[in-house]
Amino acid sequence: MLGTAIDAPLFHASIDFDMTFIVQPQGTFGEFRCGMMNDLTDTTPTDGIYFQRTSASGNWRAVTRSGGTETDTDTTIAGTANTWYRLRLLRNGSNIEFYIDGTLSATNTANIPAGALNLGVQNKTTDYDVDFFRLRINNISR
């Protein structure tokens, strides 16, 4: 799937949610994003809540981005090609928690978007497998 993105319908980011991806980046592990973004093409999203790994950093990064302003937290966990990762994003009020393989790796409280975002994976230079995707939405009234 090099140079492409997978995506699901738009989701409103202001709702509390619990999202999990199980992904395996492959080969030459370049730029890779996984989560919620307004743009799933190969450009940097204007708005999003996502994990990011770039060849410049090497580590998984926890990113919240609103109106082009970004909070980018280094999780200090290296992203390695051909390794499966359970990436979990949890919104609890004004906090976005980022979990890698069950361990809380970062919490961002700034630059959290409130609008509609696409759910998916964005890559520029990395092939990847997605084994599992789950989204739970909290506090939905019927």
Side-chain angles (χ1 to χ4, degrees):
M1 297 186 78
L2 185 61
T4 63
I6 63 166
D7 65 281
L10 292 175
F11 175 77
H12 206 279
S14 64
I15 299 169
D16 284 355
F17 61 83
D18 185 347
M19 179 185 315
T20 301
F21 289 86
I22 297 178
V23 296
Q24 180 189 45
Q26 301 176 354
T28 304
F29 193 176
E31 287 192 44
F32 182 86
R33 295 181 182 99
C34 184
M36 314 167 73
M37 295 156 267
N38 70 308
D39 185 356
L40 290 173
T41 64
D42 64 359
T43 62
T44 301
T46 304
D47 298 297
I49 300 168
Y50 52 89
F51 282 95
Q52 175 173 276
R53 196 275 189 188
T54 66
S55 53
S57 155
N59 289 342
W60 286 108
R61 306 191 71 79
V63 179
T64 49
R65 190 172 174 86
S66 181
T69 303
E70 181 174 277
T71 298
D72 180 348
T73 305
D74 188 345
T75 67
T76 70
I77 297 172
T80 306
N82 304 312
T83 301
W84 286 100
Y85 293 95
R86 179 181 297 263
L87 304 177
R88 180 179 176 208
L89 300 164
L90 177 67
R91 182 179 182 129
N92 187 4
S94 60
N95 297 325
I96 304 293
E97 297 174 353
F98 294 81
Y99 292 82
I100 299 175
D101 295 331
T103 301
L104 179 62
S105 303
T107 301
N108 288 3
T109 59
N111 300 311
I112 298 172
L117 300 173
N118 296 290
L119 311 176
V121 176
Q122 180 196 61
N123 67 314
K124 285 180 81 171
T125 57
T126 302
D127 285 328
Y128 60 88
D129 289 325
V130 177
D131 182 59
F132 177 84
F133 169 75
R134 180 187 71 204
L135 172 64
R136 291 183 182 175
I137 303 170
N138 303 328
N139 300 323
I140 297 282
S141 59
R142 295 181 190 251

